[in-house]
């Protein structure tokens, strides 16, 4: 790392973001039926004549690329090419969407009723919609929304219909297809269904990839998929999956298209419908199977208030611009284009970097509501406090301090400045009253909330009580996590300052780099960008007055200690969680431990530490955190997978794991200093 501090980052506060319009406002004033039946005439890609779904399927089956694979599979399996083609046609029939305007109109009517009942507002940046409209006419468009709720893809189609834009075709998991009636209705509203994993099925992969490629090449409709691959149960962005992104970029890389526009979309929920469901999944309660009956049982959510949604359409990103100077496209001329080939290292690196950049763009345009800041503070209080809670006045004062820090860090904060802070706090607490308790003017997490309703006959065991409390903690943590992309780099630097052997910049950078590497499965930290992230963290903490940095040293200012204490506390649950995983692997891991057995075993280990008071963060029970920690240890070579007759077994290098635990912070504290009051 260069010793000279060079801050190349533009001031985040100068970033211009669009204003929002509430699309439900018009719906509350006029007829939903008239809205659903209105004239719908979207402008298409370069005046494209709409294709029928069966014409699209014919184009896919007759494509040179799929025909090549059909012949290859026929030779390898000694099955006739006609039989393999029939199998390909059956796969395509099961997979393909069957977009129909009548179904879209039905959903437009029903969703108008549902959204007006559930949400106070659905706010959209209209300038972003205008940019999208322009992009759709110029180049094939790929929509990349964040994924925090089942509501996401319905919401996206609803918004595009509202603004008279072409409806997207949406990659959906095969489990949705199993929902009677609803599955077919989703297919008729633009969903195409894909397996969660393909294994080594070459034919399935060929049909799927060619289906998506053809839709992109002809500009059939905007293609929509979730870069993260699945819903985030924690509200943190997940490590991007690269398969579909590779497919939609390929027509440009092979010279079949001049360009493709990638549009990151950030969907922010003030209150998530699945908050408790997610918390229970993270504690090991199986995810309910998607079913139509389950959908109707979920109707009770219609009596709840879920606040507002903000949907931000980001700047379209040109694949051509991304690839400039990164990919030599002439390599694709070395063999016929219809012959499938695995992307080389250069292309893989390019797609991976692009994916991280796109997820980071999603994060930067996520709207943070005041409750997110309150969740941060209440969780820190819960971990460090005496059970008495915090006074409303003090919580408000600290929330205002944190609001100002967020703004200095460039967060997209939606704090209603026309209201006095105490009203903002009270309104947020009221919306999330299922997670908090206010008694005698003091606020704390409602750790006993609903425990009686979930308790079986007779007294609950200590473990059951702990898991009931953990549901509330993890639900609250999912809101705290929405702000972590704002704090993660400064928090890593604050922790590095605390653990570095000196205040020399190189020592601090070394500690920062270690922590960043350790947590790169946990947060969106672009590979190879450690120096840039360090500089960004330095810039933000110098700008906020917490640090002074010269060529050799990193110095904490008198007023900066408060900021650094807050930031290190934000990272504490993750540090302790990774330490617990290391300790478990060294003390309890038996021979024959597999990934499948790892999560139940580590959960039991952590429950015992929580019950005895040796651990204070119930968030460590999150299976997401535990799996990320194991993934980091596998990546670092501290744990290896050994192939056996059955499942792969985990081999632990205990010396290395012990060393990593020590570097993360040594022995777990039995009693740590109470987090400084903000």
């Amino acid at each position: 790392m260069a010793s000279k501090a060079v801050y190349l980052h533009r001031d985040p506060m100068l970033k211009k973001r669009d204003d929002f319009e509430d699309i439900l406002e018009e719906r509350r004033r006029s007829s939903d039926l008239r809205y659903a039946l209105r004239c719908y005439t979207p402008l298409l890609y370069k005046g494209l004549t709409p294709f029928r779904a069966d014409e699209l399927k014919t184009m896919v089956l007759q494509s040179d690329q799929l025909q090549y694979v059909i012949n290859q599979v026929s030779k390898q399996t000694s099955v006739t090419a006609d039989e393999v083609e029939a199998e390909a046609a059956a796969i395509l029939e099961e997979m393909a969407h069957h977009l129909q305007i009548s179904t879209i109109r039905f959903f437009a009517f029903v969703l108008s009723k549902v959204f007006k009942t559930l949400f106070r507002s659905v706010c959209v940046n209209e300038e972003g919609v205008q940019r999208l409209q322009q992009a759709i006419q110029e180049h094939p468009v790929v929509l990349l929304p964040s994924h925090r709720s089942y509501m996401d893809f319905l919401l996206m189609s609803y918004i595009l219909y509202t603004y008279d834009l072409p409806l997207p075709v949406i990659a959906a998991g095969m489990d949705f297809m199993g929902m009677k009636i609803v599955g077919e209705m989703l297919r008729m509203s633009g969903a195409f269904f894909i397996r969660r994993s393909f294994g080594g099925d070459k034919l399935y992969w060929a049909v799927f990839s060619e289906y998506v490629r053809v839709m992109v090449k002809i500009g059939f409709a905007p293609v929509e998929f979730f870069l993260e691959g699945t819903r985030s149960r924690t509200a943190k962005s997940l490590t991007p999956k690269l398969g579909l992104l590779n497919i939609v970029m390929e027509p440009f890389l092979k010279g079949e298209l001049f360009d493709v526009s990638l549009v990151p979309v950030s969907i922010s929920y003030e209150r998530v419908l699945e908050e408790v469901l997610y918390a229970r999944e993270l504690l090991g309660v199986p995810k309910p199977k998607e079913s139509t009956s389950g959908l109707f049982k979920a109707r009770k959510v219609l009596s709840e208030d879920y606040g507002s949604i903000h949907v931000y359409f980001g700047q379209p990103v040109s694949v051509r611009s991304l690839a400039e100077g990164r990919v030599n496209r002439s390599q694709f001329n070395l063999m016929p284009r219809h012959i499938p080939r695995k992307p080389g290292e250069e292309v893989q690196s390019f797609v991976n970097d692009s994916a991280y950049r796109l997820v980071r763009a999603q994060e930067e345009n996520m709207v943070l509501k005041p409750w997110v800041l309150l969740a941060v503070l209440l969780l820190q209080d819960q971990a460090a406090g005496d059970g008495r809670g915090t006074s409303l006045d003090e919580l408000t004062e600290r929330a205002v301090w944190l609001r100002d820090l967020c703004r200095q860090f460039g967060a997209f904060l939606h704090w209603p400045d026309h209201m006095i802070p105490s009203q903002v706090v009270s309104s947020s607490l009221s919306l999330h009253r299922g997670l908090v308790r206010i008694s005698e003017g003091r606020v704390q997490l409602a750790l006993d909330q609903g425990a009686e309703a979930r308790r079986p006959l007779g007294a609950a065991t200590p473990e059951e009580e702990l898991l009931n409390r953990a549901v509330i903690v993890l639900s609250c943590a999912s809101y705290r996590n929405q702000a972590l992309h704002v704090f993660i780099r400064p928090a890593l630097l604050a922790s590095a300052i605390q653990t570095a052997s000196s205040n020399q910049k190189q020592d601090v950078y070394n500690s920062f780099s270690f922590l960043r590497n350790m947590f790169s499965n946990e947060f969106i930290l672009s590979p190879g960008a450690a120096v840039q992230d360090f500089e960004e963290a330095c810039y933000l903490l110098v700008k906020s007055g917490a640090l002074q940095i010269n060529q050799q040293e990193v110095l904490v200012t008198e007023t900066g200690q408060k900021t650094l204490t807050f930031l290190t506390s934000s990272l504490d649950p993750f540090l302790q969680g990774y330490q617990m995983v290391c300790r478990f692997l060294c003390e309890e891991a038996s021979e024959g431990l597999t990934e499948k057995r790892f999560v139940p075993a580590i959960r039991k280990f952590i429950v015992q530490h929580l019950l005895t008071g040796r651990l204070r963060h119930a968030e460590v029970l999150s299976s997401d955190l535990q799996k990320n920690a194991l993934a980091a240890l596998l990546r670092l070579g501290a744990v290896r997978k050994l192939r056996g007759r059955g499942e792969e077994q985990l081999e632990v290098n205990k010396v290395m794991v012990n060393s990593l635990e020590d570097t993360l912070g040594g022995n777990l504290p039995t009693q740590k200093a109470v987090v400084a009051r903000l």
Side-chain angles (χ1 to χ4, degrees):
M1 190 203 71
S3 60
K4 187 177 180 182
V6 180
Y7 302 124
L8 303 174
H9 304 278
R10 191 161 60 92
D11 190 332
M13 290 187 73
L14 297 178
K15 180 172 181 177
K16 169 73 171 71
R17 291 187 175 104
D18 303 337
D19 294 327
F20 286 98
E21 294 290 332
D22 176 15
I23 62 172
L24 291 188
E25 192 176 323
E26 174 66 24
R27 297 276 45 75
R28 296 188 198 281
R29 291 200 306 259
S30 59
S31 162
D32 292 331
L33 187 59
R34 192 176 297 121
Y35 163 76
L37 297 177
R38 69 191 176 84
C39 180
Y40 171 67
T41 53
L43 288 168
L44 303 174
Y45 168 55
K46 292 183 179 174
L48 170 84
T49 304
F51 280 77
R52 294 200 314 272
D54 56 344
E55 291 176 312
L56 179 64
K57 285 187 273 192
T58 301
M59 288 178 72
V60 172
L61 287 170
Q62 291 178 352
S63 71
D64 290 342
Q65 188 143 333
L66 185 54
Q67 285 297 318
Y68 178 85
V69 174
I70 286 170
N71 288 322
Q72 289 291 103
V73 171
S74 173
K75 289 174 187 173
Q76 291 166 5
T77 59
S78 301
V79 175
T80 67
D82 286 346
E83 288 175 299
V84 177
E85 185 167 335
E87 186 184 346
I91 291 169
L92 189 56
E93 192 63 35
E94 178 189 63
M95 179 187 299
H97 71 79
H98 191 50
L99 191 59
Q100 291 187 2
I101 189 63
S102 56
T103 308
I104 295 300
R105 293 190 187 283
F106 171 79
F107 271 119
F109 178 76
V110 171
L111 290 176
S112 290
K113 302 290 186 193
V114 170
F115 289 161
K116 286 188 290 186
T117 303
L118 289 176
F119 304 110
R120 298 173 185 178
S121 59
V122 173
C123 301
V124 179
N125 65 321
E126 292 198 337
E127 289 175 58
V129 172
Q130 289 164 12
R131 290 192 296 265
L132 174 60
Q133 189 170 41
Q134 186 67 33
I136 284 171
Q137 293 173 64
E138 293 174 355
H139 304 291
V141 163
V142 178
L143 294 167
L144 301 168
S146 56
H147 200 17
R148 304 291 180 269
S149 171
Y150 276 141
M151 195 66 75
D152 294 331
F153 64 88
L154 295 172
L155 186 63
M156 287 288 293
S157 295
Y158 183 83
I159 291 169
L160 267 60
Y161 179 80
T162 298
Y163 285 103
D164 221 25
L165 292 172
L167 291 162
V169 288
I170 308 149
M174 193 68 82
D175 36 7
F176 285 102
M177 201 178 78
M179 298 172 71
K180 293 176 185 174
I181 304 171
V182 173
E184 277 310 302
M185 289 186 71
L186 290 174
R187 188 192 295 278
M188 290 188 287
S189 64
F192 62 95
F193 299 102
I194 55 175
R195 296 175 191 167
R196 294 290 181 187
S197 61
F198 303 162
D201 192 333
K202 284 170 64 174
L203 184 63
Y204 190 93
W205 172 257
V207 172
F208 161 64
S209 56
E210 189 62 14
Y211 182 60
V212 175
R213 259 193 305 269
V214 168
M215 287 192 290
V216 172
K217 282 194 289 189
I218 65 175
F220 176 86
V223 174
E224 179 185 320
F225 64 90
F226 301 108
L227 258 179
E228 298 162 283
T230 186
R231 287 175 299 158
S232 170
R233 271 69 172 168
T234 61
K236 287 192 290 97
S237 295
L238 306 177
T239 302
K241 304 290 189 293
L242 305 181
L244 262 165
L245 190 60
N246 251 313
I247 291 169
V248 299
M249 285 181 162
E250 192 176 291
F252 164 76
L253 295 174
K254 286 187 171 181
E256 296 168 318
L257 285 172
F258 181 79
D259 203 355
V260 177
S261 292
L262 308 174
V263 182
V265 185
S266 308
I267 306 176
S268 312
Y269 294 89
E270 189 169 11
R271 187 179 164 209
V272 179
L273 274 75
E274 303 99 326
E275 65 180 24
V276 172
L277 186 70
Y278 287 165
R280 291 183 183 175
E281 276 189 54
L282 293 170
L283 291 168
V285 178
K287 170 186 144 184
K289 187 179 177 184
E290 283 78 13
S291 67
T292 305
S293 61
L295 180 68
F296 287 112
K297 285 175 189 172
R299 284 180 301 171
K300 64 181 181 182
V301 301
L302 294 173
S303 61
E304 297 276 336
D305 178 1
Y306 289 90
S308 60
I309 303 177
H310 285 78
V311 181
Y312 195 98
F313 289 85
Q315 289 281 354
V317 177
S318 157
V319 174
R320 189 178 192 86
S321 298
L322 286 176
E324 195 172 341
R326 287 291 312 271
V327 179
N328 176 12
R329 292 199 291 158
S330 63
Q331 63 184 283
F332 293 95
N333 297 327
L334 300 177
M335 65 169 67
R337 287 177 183 155
H338 67 272
I339 299 178
R341 53 177 281 179
K342 276 192 170 182
E345 197 173 311
E346 179 191 55
V347 171
Q348 280 185 318
S349 173
F350 162 67
V351 173
N352 192 48
D353 289 350
S354 300
Y356 273 88
R357 176 173 170 173
L358 290 160
V359 175
R360 185 94 195 265
Q362 287 176 350
E363 288 184 331
E364 287 179 352
N365 289 323
M366 293 294 247
V367 173
L368 305 184
K369 302 289 282 187
W371 166 248
V372 170
L373 309 189
L374 298 178
V376 173
L377 298 170
L378 289 169
L379 280 167
Q380 291 192 2
D381 289 349
Q382 186 271 327
D386 53 11
R388 293 176 58 245
T390 308
S391 74
L392 262 171
D393 289 344
E394 185 184 355
L395 183 63
T396 301
E397 184 184 329
R398 293 162 64 208
V400 169
W401 177 87
L402 187 50
R403 175 199 68 187
D404 295 343
L405 184 67
C406 282
R407 284 175 172 167
Q408 286 182 313
F409 284 3
F412 197 175
L413 189 62
H414 195 269
W415 182 288
D417 287 317
H418 63 278
M419 293 169 64
I420 61 172
S422 59
Q423 287 180 334
V424 175
V425 170
S426 295
S427 173
S428 296
L429 293 173
S430 175
L431 182 65
H432 296 274
R433 55 188 171 274
L435 299 179
V436 292
R437 187 174 71 236
I438 305 174
S439 177
E440 298 178 359
R442 302 188 75 81
V443 187
Q444 59 185 316
L445 294 184
L447 297 181
D448 55 351
Q449 188 90 354
E452 291 79 10
R454 292 188 291 271
R455 185 173 297 161
L457 293 174
T461 65
E463 183 175 338
E464 287 169 343
E465 288 182 349
L466 171 64
L467 293 175
N468 283 334
R469 293 196 298 273
V471 168
I472 300 297
V473 171
L474 289 176
S475 297
C476 194
S478 70
Y479 294 100
R480 185 275 318 277
N481 290 346
Q482 291 180 25
L484 285 179
H485 69 275
V486 176
F487 297 124
I488 184 57
R489 289 159 187 82
L492 289 170
L493 178 55
S495 295
I497 290 168
Q498 194 177 60
T499 57
S501 56
S502 76
N503 63 356
Q504 292 294 301
K505 187 190 287 185
Q506 189 62 51
D507 289 336
V508 173
Y509 172 76
N510 290 342
S511 289
F512 174 91
S513 185
F514 165 78
L515 290 170
R516 184 189 181 282
N517 189 23
M518 196 76 201
F519 288 121
S520 61
N521 292 81
E522 195 74 49
F523 306 106
I524 297 299
L525 299 163
S526 301
V531 173
Q532 296 96 308
D533 283 347
F534 182 72
E535 288 179 351
E536 181 181 326
C538 289
Y539 168 75
L540 292 172
L541 287 174
V542 168
K543 177 173 172 288
S544 64
L547 295 182
Q548 288 180 346
I549 300 178
N550 57 38
Q551 288 192 0
Q552 277 80 38
E553 293 181 313
V554 177
L555 303 170
V556 182
T557 64
E558 278 186 40
T559 56
Q561 193 56 54
K562 181 177 177 180
T563 302
L564 265 62
T565 300
F566 163 76
L567 291 169
T568 53
S569 298
S570 299
L571 205 55
D572 254 3
F574 301 96
L575 280 165
Q576 288 204 2
Y578 279 48
Q579 287 173 6
M580 285 302 296
V581 169
C582 289
R583 183 163 300 182
F584 164 77
L585 290 172
C586 287
E587 294 179 5
E588 300 285 328
S590 57
E591 284 189 28
L593 180 68
T594 62
E595 275 193 274
K596 191 173 180 180
R597 294 178 195 156
F598 166 75
V599 171
I602 182 77
R603 184 182 297 121
K604 185 177 178 183
F605 181 74
I606 289 169
V607 163
Q608 293 309 311
H609 278 72
L610 284 165
L611 289 174
T612 56
R614 285 176 285 175
L615 182 64
R616 58 198 174 89
H617 287 288
E619 294 175 58
V620 176
L621 282 166
S622 164
S623 59
D624 182 76
L625 185 150
Q626 295 155 10
K627 290 173 184 175
N628 287 339
L630 180 61
L633 294 172
L634 285 163
R635 175 171 46 80
L636 295 170
V639 178
R640 288 194 310 148
K641 288 182 184 178
L642 296 179
R643 293 191 180 278
R645 289 181 182 174
E647 292 181 68
E648 289 180 324
Q649 296 183 1
L650 301 176
E651 181 187 66
V652 181
N653 181 334
K654 294 191 177 183
V655 173
M656 191 172 177
V657 171
N658 254 320
S659 173
L660 288 169
E661 184 192 344
D662 288 343
T663 315
L664 281 167
N667 295 325
L668 286 169
T670 52
Q671 187 176 10
K672 206 165 184 181
V674 174
V675 173
R677 293 290 177 186
L678 300 178

